[in-house]
């Protein structure tokens, strides 16, 4: 098999671990953060910078967005998303379930699938487990996500139970179609089932035990960071840790802040993604090893020091706080690019440092100190 996950180190003071996830387009060291490239690009960031400076090992694409635009005909003619966007490292695609969940009012869920209106032109479309497999085969990601319903974080138990039954049914059909179909291109693909169950521990365990029947190298944890308190998210991770075998990579979907990453790693999570580094960066928020900066604040106007003297990002040693603030105040698009690349570099630096401390056996103590430092507002 092309795909495998191997644990390589365990922190003695927490559930944090290191591993190697092997895919058709290369190996990924975990814990890892995956930059989000929703429509075939990580917004505002050159691929050369993702590779050489940010050192991204894997990026994401989104099935919902890519299905609507540029569309499957274009992607297939290009030879898949890797060739279309000229990215030769691993890619993971979300099934689009979260995006459909977000279209409240213009989507309908049934046992067969989900019908939704395009946010682009209002046209109607349907995802079923079966055609969702076909769609992700054409997109060509190394790791595909099974179609699920992302249950709201504040859902009552009755709704959460009904939602989970729908997700379980869809997973069974999705897995059947996956194993009955072949890759469109000349490499293997795998998929991760998604554990739902909202904030109800017994439903999370039920979901995990069901999903594990279909899991190969890894499994995803969905439906968190969607409105529930952060402490409940951590509680669900603690509930799931003893249920998920050690030989499965664990992907916490759509999370989160730098502190969320470290707390997730401490609870056994291996993979993360979030739009926060780029979205917040475009709005002037920079994450650093000393804390969080709002680059529009007047206090940076005459501060000619580096953005993050403790960091390793290439932008840290090139541009001053005063210069980057000036760019934001002037409305210069270069500000958003610098901030996006800085934040992504910080996130990747953060997980690399986490790996070092896991291997050294002192992650738990390092995490406690680091979370406080990187979470403070400067």
């Amino acid at each position: 098999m092309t795909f495998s996950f191997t644990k390589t180190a365990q922190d003695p003071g927490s559930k944090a671990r290191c591993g190697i996830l092997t895919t058709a387009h290369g190996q990924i060291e975990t814990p890892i953060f995956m930059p989000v490239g929703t429509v075939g690009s990580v917004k505002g960031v050159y691929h050369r910078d993702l590779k050489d400076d940010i050192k991204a090992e894997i990026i994401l694409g989104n099935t919902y967005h890519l299905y609507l635009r540029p569309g499957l005909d274009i992607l297939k003619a290009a030879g898949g998303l890797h060739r279309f966007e000229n990215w030769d490292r691993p890619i993971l695609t979300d099934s689009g379930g979260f995006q459909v969940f977000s279209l409240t009012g213009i989507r309908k869920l049934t046992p067969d699938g989900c019908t939704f209106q395009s946010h682009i032109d209002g046209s109607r479309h349907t995802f079923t487990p079966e055609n969702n497999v076909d769609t992700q085969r054409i997109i060509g990601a190394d790791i595909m996500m099974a179609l699920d319903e992302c249950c709201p974080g504040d859902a009552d138990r009755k709704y959460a139970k009904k939602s989970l039954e729908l997700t379980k049914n869809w997973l069974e059909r999705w897995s059947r179609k996956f194993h009955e179909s072949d890759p469109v291109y000349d490499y293997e693909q795998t998929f991760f089932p998604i554990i739902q169950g909202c904030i109800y521990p017994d439903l999370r365990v039920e979901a995990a035990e069901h999903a594990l029947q279909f899991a190969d190298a890894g499994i995803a944890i969905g439906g968190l960071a969607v409105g529930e308190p952060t402490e409940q998210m951590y509680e669900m991770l603690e509930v799931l840790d003893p249920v998920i075998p050690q030989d499965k990579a664990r992907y916490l979907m759509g999370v989160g802040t730098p502190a969320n990453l470290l707390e997730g790693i401490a609870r056994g999570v291996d993979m993360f993604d979030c739009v926060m580094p780029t979205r917040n960066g475009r709005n002037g928020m920079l994450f650093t090893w000393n804390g969080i900066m709002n680059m529009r604040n007047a206090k940076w106007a005459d501060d000619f020091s580096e953005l993050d003297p403790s960091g390793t990002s290439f932008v840290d040693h090139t541009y001053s706080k005063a210069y980057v603030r000036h760019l934001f105040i002037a409305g210069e698009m270069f500000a958003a690019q610098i901030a996006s690349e800085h934040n992504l570099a910080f996130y990747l630096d953060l997980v690399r440092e986490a790996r070092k401390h896991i291997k050294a056996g002192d992650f738990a103590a390092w995490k406690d100190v680091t979370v406080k430092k990187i979470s403070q507002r400067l």
Side-chain angles (χ1 to χ4, degrees), residues 212-289:
L212 283 166
Q213 300 174 57
F214 308 93
D216 181 17
I219 195 162
I221 303 167
L224 293 175
V226 289
E228 81 287 353
T230 301
E231 288 307 316
Q232 287 187 320
M233 174 175 72
Y234 297 153
E235 179 189 350
M236 293 304 101
L237 296 179
E238 291 166 5
V239 166
L240 290 172
D241 173 68
V243 181
I244 304 174
Q246 292 290 306
D247 65 350
K248 299 287 185 285
R250 304 166 181 192
Y251 165 32
L252 179 56
M253 304 180 73
V255 176
T257 67
N260 290 158
L261 265 64
L262 294 187
E263 295 292 356
I265 290 169
R267 291 163 173 82
V269 176
D270 305 297
M271 304 166 68
F272 304 84
D273 80 286
C274 190
V275 298
M276 186 172 285
T278 47
R279 178 178 290 170
N280 289 30
R282 294 194 301 274
N283 291 309
M285 178 182 285
L286 265 62
F287 300 100
T288 79
W289 283 103

Coordinates of all heavy atoms in Angstrom, one line a residue, residues 212-289:
L212 N -14.1 3.7 12.4 CA -12.9 3.0 12.4 C -13.0 1.7 11.6 O -12.0 1.2 11.1 CB -12.4 2.6 13.8 CG -11.8 3.8 14.6 CD1 -11.7 3.5 16.1 CD2 -10.4 4.1 14.1
Q213 N -14.2 1.2 11.3 CA -14.4 0.1 10.5 C -13.9 0.4 9.0 O -13.6 -0.5 8.2 CB -15.8 -0.4 10.5 CG -16.4 -0.8 11.8 CD -17.9 -1.0 11.7 OE1 -18.3 -1.9 11.0 NE2 -18.7 -0.3 12.5
F214 N -13.9 1.7 8.7 CA -13.6 2.1 7.3 C -12.3 2.8 7.2 O -11.9 3.2 6.1 CB -14.8 2.9 6.8 CG -16.1 2.3 7.0 CD1 -16.9 2.6 8.1 CD2 -16.6 1.4 6.0 CE1 -18.1 2.0 8.3 CE2 -17.9 0.9 6.2 CZ -18.6 1.1 7.3
A215 N -11.6 3.0 8.3 CA -10.4 3.8 8.3 C -9.2 3.0 7.8 O -9.0 1.8 8.2 CB -10.1 4.4 9.7
D216 N -8.3 3.6 7.0 CA -7.1 3.0 6.6 C -5.9 3.6 7.4 O -5.6 3.2 8.5 CB -6.9 3.1 5.1 CG -5.6 2.5 4.6 OD1 -5.1 1.6 5.3 OD2 -5.2 2.8 3.5
A217 N -5.3 4.6 6.8 CA -4.1 5.2 7.5 C -4.5 6.3 8.5 O -3.7 6.6 9.4 CB -3.2 5.8 6.4
G218 N -5.7 6.8 8.4 CA -6.1 7.9 9.3 C -7.6 8.1 9.4 O -8.4 7.5 8.7
I219 N -7.9 9.0 10.3 CA -9.3 9.3 10.6 C -9.4 10.7 11.0 O -8.5 11.3 11.6 CB -9.9 8.4 11.7 CG1 -11.4 8.4 11.8 CG2 -9.2 8.7 13.1 CD1 -11.9 7.2 12.6
A220 N -10.5 11.4 10.6 CA -10.7 12.8 10.9 C -11.7 13.0 12.0 O -12.7 12.2 12.2 CB -11.2 13.5 9.6
I221 N -11.6 14.1 12.7 CA -12.5 14.5 13.8 C -13.1 15.8 13.4 O -12.5 16.8 13.3 CB -11.7 14.7 15.1 CG1 -11.0 13.4 15.5 CG2 -12.7 15.1 16.2 CD1 -10.0 13.6 16.7
G222 N -14.4 15.7 13.0 CA -15.1 16.9 12.5 C -16.1 17.4 13.5 O -16.3 16.9 14.6
G223 N -16.8 18.5 13.2 CA -17.8 19.1 14.0 C -17.4 19.7 15.3 O -18.1 19.8 16.2
L224 N -16.1 20.1 15.4 CA -15.6 20.8 16.5 C -15.1 22.2 16.0 O -14.9 22.4 14.9 CB -14.5 20.1 17.2 CG -14.9 18.8 17.9 CD1 -13.7 18.0 18.4 CD2 -15.9 19.0 19.0
A225 N -15.0 23.1 17.0 CA -14.7 24.5 16.6 C -15.8 25.1 15.7 O -15.6 25.8 14.8 CB -13.4 24.7 16.0
V226 N -17.1 24.7 16.0 CA -18.2 25.2 15.2 C -19.3 25.8 16.1 O -20.5 25.7 15.8 CB -18.8 24.0 14.3 CG1 -17.9 23.7 13.2 CG2 -19.2 22.8 15.2
G227 N -18.8 26.4 17.2 CA -19.7 27.1 18.1 C -19.7 26.6 19.5 O -20.3 27.4 20.4
E228 N -19.2 25.5 19.8 CA -19.1 25.0 21.1 C -17.9 25.6 21.9 O -17.0 26.1 21.2 CB -19.0 23.5 21.2 CG -17.6 22.9 21.0 CD -17.0 23.0 19.5 OE1 -17.8 23.4 18.6 OE2 -15.8 22.7 19.3
P229 N -18.0 25.7 23.2 CA -16.9 26.3 24.0 C -15.6 25.5 23.7 O -15.6 24.2 23.5 CB -17.3 26.1 25.4 CG -18.8 26.1 25.4 CD -19.1 25.4 24.1
T230 N -14.4 26.1 23.8 CA -13.2 25.5 23.5 C -12.9 24.3 24.4 O -12.4 23.3 24.0 CB -12.0 26.5 23.6 OG1 -12.2 27.6 22.7 CG2 -10.7 25.9 23.3
E231 N -13.3 24.5 25.7 CA -13.1 23.4 26.7 C -13.8 22.1 26.3 O -13.4 21.0 26.6 CB -13.4 23.8 28.1 CG -12.4 24.8 28.7 CD -11.0 24.3 28.6 OE1 -10.7 23.2 28.9 OE2 -10.1 25.1 28.2
Q232 N -15.0 22.3 25.7 CA -15.7 21.1 25.2 C -15.1 20.4 24.1 O -15.1 19.2 23.9 CB -17.2 21.5 24.9 CG -18.0 21.8 26.1 CD -19.5 22.0 25.8 OE1 -19.8 22.6 24.8 NE2 -20.4 21.4 26.6
M233 N -14.4 21.2 23.2 CA -13.6 20.6 22.1 C -12.5 19.8 22.7 O -12.3 18.6 22.3 CB -13.1 21.7 21.2 CG -12.1 21.2 20.1 SD -11.5 22.5 19.0 CE -10.4 23.4 20.0
Y234 N -11.8 20.3 23.7 CA -10.7 19.5 24.3 C -11.2 18.3 25.0 O -10.6 17.2 24.9 CB -10.0 20.4 25.3 CG -9.3 21.6 24.7 CD1 -9.0 22.7 25.4 CD2 -8.8 21.6 23.4 CE1 -8.4 23.8 24.9 CE2 -8.2 22.7 22.8 CZ -8.0 23.8 23.6 OH -7.3 24.9 23.0
E235 N -12.4 18.4 25.6 CA -13.0 17.2 26.3 C -13.3 16.1 25.3 O -13.1 15.0 25.5 CB -14.3 17.7 27.0 CG -15.0 16.5 27.7 CD -16.4 16.9 28.2 OE1 -16.7 18.1 28.2 OE2 -17.1 15.9 28.6
M236 N -13.8 16.5 24.1 CA -14.1 15.5 23.1 C -12.9 14.8 22.6 O -12.9 13.6 22.3 CB -14.9 16.1 21.9 CG -16.3 16.6 22.2 SD -17.4 15.3 22.9 CE -17.3 15.8 24.7
L237 N -11.8 15.5 22.5 CA -10.5 14.9 22.1 C -10.0 13.9 23.1 O -9.5 12.9 22.8 CB -9.4 16.0 21.8 CG -9.7 17.0 20.7 CD1 -8.6 18.0 20.6 CD2 -9.9 16.3 19.4
E238 N -10.2 14.3 24.4 CA -9.8 13.4 25.4 C -10.7 12.1 25.5 O -10.2 11.0 25.7 CB -9.9 14.1 26.8 CG -8.9 15.2 26.9 CD -9.1 16.1 28.1 OE1 -10.1 15.9 28.8 OE2 -8.4 17.1 28.2
V239 N -12.0 12.3 25.1 CA -12.9 11.1 25.0 C -12.4 10.2 23.9 O -12.5 8.9 24.0 CB -14.3 11.6 24.8 CG1 -15.2 10.4 24.3 CG2 -14.9 12.2 26.1
L240 N -12.0 10.8 22.8 CA -11.7 10.0 21.6 C -10.3 9.3 21.7 O -10.0 8.3 21.0 CB -11.8 10.8 20.3 CG -13.2 11.2 20.0 CD1 -13.2 12.2 18.8 CD2 -14.0 10.0 19.6
D241 N -9.4 9.9 22.4 CA -8.0 9.4 22.4 C -7.9 7.9 22.7 O -7.2 7.2 21.9 CB -7.2 10.2 23.4 CG -5.8 9.6 23.6 OD1 -5.0 9.7 22.6 OD2 -5.5 9.0 24.7
P242 N -8.5 7.4 23.7 CA -8.3 5.9 23.9 C -9.1 5.0 22.9 O -8.9 3.8 22.9 CB -8.9 5.7 25.4 CG -9.9 6.8 25.6 CD -9.3 8.0 24.8
V243 N -10.0 5.6 22.2 CA -10.8 4.8 21.2 C -10.1 4.7 19.9 O -10.2 3.6 19.3 CB -12.2 5.5 21.0 CG1 -13.1 4.7 20.1 CG2 -12.9 5.8 22.3
I244 N -9.3 5.7 19.5 CA -8.7 5.6 18.2 C -7.3 4.9 18.3 O -6.5 5.3 19.1 CB -8.5 7.0 17.6 CG1 -9.8 7.8 17.5 CG2 -7.8 7.0 16.2 CD1 -9.6 9.2 17.1
P245 N -7.1 3.9 17.5 CA -5.8 3.1 17.6 C -4.6 4.0 17.3 O -4.7 5.0 16.6 CB -6.0 2.0 16.6 CG -7.4 1.9 16.4 CD -8.0 3.2 16.6
Q246 N -3.5 3.6 17.9 CA -2.3 4.4 17.7 C -1.7 4.4 16.3 O -0.9 5.3 15.9 CB -1.2 3.9 18.7 CG -1.5 4.1 20.2 CD -1.4 5.6 20.5 OE1 -0.4 6.3 20.3 NE2 -2.5 6.1 21.1
D247 N -2.1 3.5 15.5 CA -1.6 3.4 14.1 C -2.5 4.2 13.1 O -2.4 4.0 11.9 CB -1.5 1.9 13.7 CG -2.8 1.2 13.6 OD1 -3.8 1.8 14.1 OD2 -2.8 0.1 13.1
K248 N -3.3 5.0 13.6 CA -4.2 5.9 12.7 C -3.8 7.3 13.0 O -3.8 7.8 14.1 CB -5.7 5.7 13.0 CG -6.2 4.3 12.8 CD -6.3 3.9 11.3 CE -6.9 2.6 11.1 NZ -6.0 1.4 11.4
A249 N -3.5 8.1 11.9 CA -3.3 9.5 12.0 C -4.6 10.2 12.3 O -5.7 9.8 11.8 CB -2.8 10.0 10.6
R250 N -4.5 11.2 13.2 CA -5.8 11.8 13.7 C -5.8 13.3 13.2 O -4.8 14.1 13.5 CB -5.8 11.8 15.2 CG -5.7 10.4 15.8 CD -5.4 10.5 17.2 NE -5.2 9.1 17.8 CZ -5.2 8.9 19.1 NH1 -5.2 9.9 20.0 NH2 -5.1 7.6 19.5
Y251 N -6.8 13.6 12.4 CA -6.9 14.9 11.8 C -8.0 15.7 12.4 O -9.2 15.3 12.3 CB -7.1 14.7 10.3 CG -7.6 15.9 9.5 CD1 -7.2 17.2 9.8 CD2 -8.3 15.7 8.3 CE1 -7.7 18.3 9.0 CE2 -8.8 16.8 7.6 CZ -8.4 18.0 7.9 OH -8.9 19.1 7.2
L252 N -7.7 16.8 13.1 CA -8.8 17.7 13.7 C -9.1 18.8 12.7 O -8.3 19.7 12.5 CB -8.3 18.3 15.0 CG -9.2 19.2 15.8 CD1 -10.6 18.6 16.0 CD2 -8.6 19.7 17.0
M253 N -10.3 18.7 12.1 CA -10.6 19.5 11.0 C -11.0 21.0 11.4 O -11.7 21.2 12.3 CB -11.8 18.9 10.3 CG -11.6 17.5 9.8 SD -13.0 16.8 9.0 CE -12.9 17.6 7.4
G254 N -10.4 21.9 10.7 CA -10.7 23.3 10.8 C -10.2 24.0 12.1 O -10.8 25.0 12.5
V255 N -9.2 23.5 12.7 CA -8.7 24.1 14.0 C -7.2 24.4 13.8 O -6.5 23.6 13.3 CB -8.9 23.0 15.1 CG1 -8.3 23.6 16.4 CG2 -10.4 22.7 15.3
G256 N -6.8 25.6 14.2 CA -7.5 26.6 14.9 C -6.4 27.7 15.2 O -5.5 28.0 14.5
T257 N -6.5 28.2 16.4 CA -5.5 29.2 16.9 C -4.2 28.4 17.2 O -4.2 27.2 17.4 CB -6.0 29.8 18.2 OG1 -6.0 28.9 19.3 CG2 -7.3 30.5 18.0
P258 N -3.1 29.1 17.4 CA -1.8 28.5 17.8 C -2.0 27.7 19.1 O -1.5 26.6 19.2 CB -0.8 29.6 17.9 CG -1.3 30.6 16.9 CD -2.8 30.6 17.0
A259 N -2.7 28.3 20.0 CA -2.9 27.6 21.3 C -3.7 26.3 21.1 O -3.5 25.3 21.7 CB -3.6 28.5 22.3
N260 N -4.8 26.4 20.2 CA -5.6 25.2 19.9 C -4.7 24.1 19.3 O -4.9 22.9 19.7 CB -6.6 25.5 18.8 CG -7.7 26.4 19.3 OD1 -8.4 27.0 18.5 ND2 -7.9 26.5 20.6
L261 N -3.7 24.4 18.5 CA -2.8 23.4 17.9 C -2.0 22.7 19.0 O -2.0 21.5 19.1 CB -1.9 24.0 16.9 CG -2.3 24.0 15.4 CD1 -3.6 24.8 15.2 CD2 -1.2 24.5 14.5
L262 N -1.4 23.5 19.9 CA -0.6 22.8 20.9 C -1.5 22.0 21.9 O -1.1 20.9 22.3 CB 0.2 23.9 21.7 CG 1.2 24.7 20.9 CD1 2.0 25.6 21.8 CD2 2.2 23.7 20.1
E263 N -2.6 22.5 22.3 CA -3.5 21.8 23.1 C -4.0 20.5 22.4 O -4.2 19.5 23.1 CB -4.7 22.6 23.6 CG -4.3 23.8 24.5 CD -3.7 23.4 25.8 OE1 -3.7 22.2 26.2 OE2 -3.3 24.3 26.6
G264 N -4.3 20.6 21.1 CA -4.7 19.4 20.4 C -3.6 18.4 20.3 O -3.9 17.2 20.5
I265 N -2.4 18.8 20.0 CA -1.3 17.9 20.0 C -1.1 17.2 21.3 O -0.8 16.0 21.4 CB 0.0 18.7 19.6 CG1 0.0 19.2 18.2 CG2 1.3 17.8 19.8 CD1 1.1 20.1 17.8
A266 N -1.3 17.9 22.4 CA -1.2 17.3 23.7 C -2.2 16.3 24.0 O -2.0 15.4 24.9 CB -1.3 18.4 24.8
R267 N -3.3 16.3 23.2 CA -4.4 15.3 23.3 C -4.4 14.3 22.2 O -5.4 13.6 22.0 CB -5.7 16.1 23.4 CG -5.9 16.9 24.7 CD -7.0 17.9 24.7 NE -7.2 18.5 26.0 CZ -6.5 19.5 26.5 NH1 -5.4 20.0 25.8 NH2 -6.7 20.0 27.7
G268 N -3.2 14.2 21.5 CA -3.0 13.1 20.6 C -3.4 13.4 19.1 O -3.4 12.5 18.3
V269 N -3.6 14.7 18.8 CA -3.9 15.0 17.4 C -2.7 15.2 16.6 O -1.6 15.7 17.0 CB -4.8 16.4 17.3 CG1 -5.0 16.8 15.9 CG2 -6.1 16.2 18.1
D270 N -2.7 14.8 15.3 CA -1.6 14.8 14.4 C -1.6 15.8 13.3 O -0.6 16.2 12.8 CB -1.4 13.4 13.8 CG -1.3 12.3 14.8 OD1 -0.4 12.2 15.6 OD2 -2.2 11.4 14.8
M271 N -2.8 16.2 12.9 CA -3.0 17.0 11.7 C -4.0 18.1 11.9 O -5.1 17.8 12.6 CB -3.4 16.1 10.5 CG -2.5 15.0 10.2 SD -3.2 13.8 9.0 CE -3.3 14.7 7.5
F272 N -3.7 19.3 11.4 CA -4.6 20.4 11.6 C -4.7 21.2 10.3 O -3.8 21.2 9.5 CB -4.1 21.4 12.7 CG -3.9 20.8 14.0 CD1 -2.7 20.1 14.3 CD2 -4.8 20.8 15.0 CE1 -2.4 19.5 15.5 CE2 -4.6 20.3 16.3 CZ -3.4 19.6 16.5
D273 N -5.8 21.9 10.1 CA -5.9 22.9 9.1 C -6.8 24.1 9.6 O -7.6 23.9 10.4 CB -6.5 22.3 7.8 CG -8.0 22.3 7.9 OD1 -8.5 21.4 8.6 OD2 -8.7 23.1 7.3
C274 N -6.6 25.2 9.0 CA -7.4 26.4 9.4 C -7.1 27.5 8.5 O -6.0 27.7 8.0 CB -7.2 26.8 10.8 SG -8.4 28.0 11.5
V275 N -8.1 28.4 8.1 CA -7.9 29.5 7.3 C -7.4 30.7 8.2 O -7.0 31.8 7.6 CB -9.2 30.0 6.6 CG1 -9.7 28.9 5.6 CG2 -10.3 30.3 7.6
M276 N -7.3 30.5 9.5 CA -6.9 31.6 10.4 C -5.6 32.3 10.0 O -5.5 33.6 10.0 CB -6.9 31.2 11.8 CG -6.7 32.3 12.8 SD -7.0 31.7 14.5 CE -8.8 31.7 14.6
P277 N -4.5 31.6 9.7 CA -3.3 32.3 9.5 C -3.4 33.3 8.3 O -2.8 34.4 8.4 CB -2.3 31.1 9.1 CG -2.9 29.9 9.7 CD -4.4 30.1 9.7
T278 N -4.1 32.9 7.2 CA -4.2 33.8 6.1 C -5.3 34.8 6.2 O -5.1 36.0 5.9 CB -4.3 33.0 4.8 OG1 -5.4 32.0 5.0 CG2 -3.0 32.3 4.4
R279 N -6.5 34.3 6.7 CA -7.6 35.3 6.8 C -7.3 36.3 7.9 O -7.5 37.5 7.6 CB -8.9 34.5 7.2 CG -10.1 35.4 7.5 CD -11.3 34.6 7.8 NE -11.8 33.8 6.6 CZ -12.7 32.9 6.7 NH1 -13.3 32.6 7.9 NH2 -13.1 32.2 5.6
N280 N -6.8 36.0 9.0 CA -6.5 37.0 10.0 C -5.3 37.8 9.6 O -5.2 39.0 9.9 CB -6.2 36.3 11.4 CG -7.4 35.7 12.0 OD1 -8.4 35.3 11.3 ND2 -7.4 35.7 13.3
G281 N -4.4 37.2 8.9 CA -3.2 38.0 8.4 C -3.7 39.1 7.4 O -3.2 40.2 7.5
R282 N -4.6 38.8 6.6 CA -5.1 39.8 5.6 C -5.7 40.9 6.3 O -5.8 42.0 5.8 CB -6.1 39.2 4.6 CG -5.5 38.1 3.7 CD -6.4 37.8 2.5 NE -7.7 37.3 2.9 CZ -7.9 36.0 3.2 NH1 -6.9 35.1 3.1 NH2 -9.1 35.6 3.5
N283 N -6.2 40.7 7.6 CA -6.9 41.7 8.3 C -5.9 42.4 9.4 O -6.4 43.1 10.2 CB -8.1 41.2 9.1 CG -9.2 40.8 8.1 OD1 -9.6 41.7 7.2 ND2 -9.7 39.6 8.1
G284 N -4.6 42.1 9.3 CA -3.7 42.8 10.1 C -3.3 42.1 11.4 O -2.5 42.7 12.2
M285 N -3.7 40.8 11.6 CA -3.3 40.1 12.8 C -2.1 39.2 12.5 O -2.2 38.4 11.7 CB -4.5 39.3 13.4 CG -4.1 38.5 14.6 SD -5.5 37.5 15.2 CE -6.6 38.7 15.9
L286 N -1.1 39.4 13.3 CA 0.1 38.6 13.1 C 0.3 37.8 14.4 O 0.2 38.3 15.5 CB 1.4 39.4 12.9 CG 1.7 39.6 11.4 CD1 0.6 40.3 10.6 CD2 3.1 40.3 11.3
F287 N 0.6 36.5 14.2 CA 1.0 35.6 15.3 C 2.5 35.5 15.4 O 3.2 35.3 14.4 CB 0.4 34.2 15.0 CG -1.1 34.2 14.9 CD1 -1.7 34.1 13.7 CD2 -1.9 34.2 16.1 CE1 -3.1 34.1 13.6 CE2 -3.3 34.2 16.0 CZ -3.9 34.2 14.7
T288 N 3.0 35.6 16.6 CA 4.5 35.5 16.8 C 4.8 34.7 18.0 O 3.9 34.4 18.8 CB 5.1 37.0 17.0 OG1 4.8 37.4 18.3 CG2 4.5 38.0 16.0
W289 N 6.1 34.4 18.2 CA 6.5 33.7 19.4 C 6.4 34.5 20.7 O 6.4 33.9 21.8 CB 7.9 33.2 19.2 CG 8.0 32.0 18.3 CD1 8.4 32.1 17.0 CD2 7.7 30.7 18.6 NE1 8.4 30.8 16.4 CE2 7.9 29.9 17.4 CE3 7.2 30.0 19.7 CZ2 7.7 28.6 17.3 CZ3 7.0 28.7 19.6 CH2 7.2 27.9 18.4

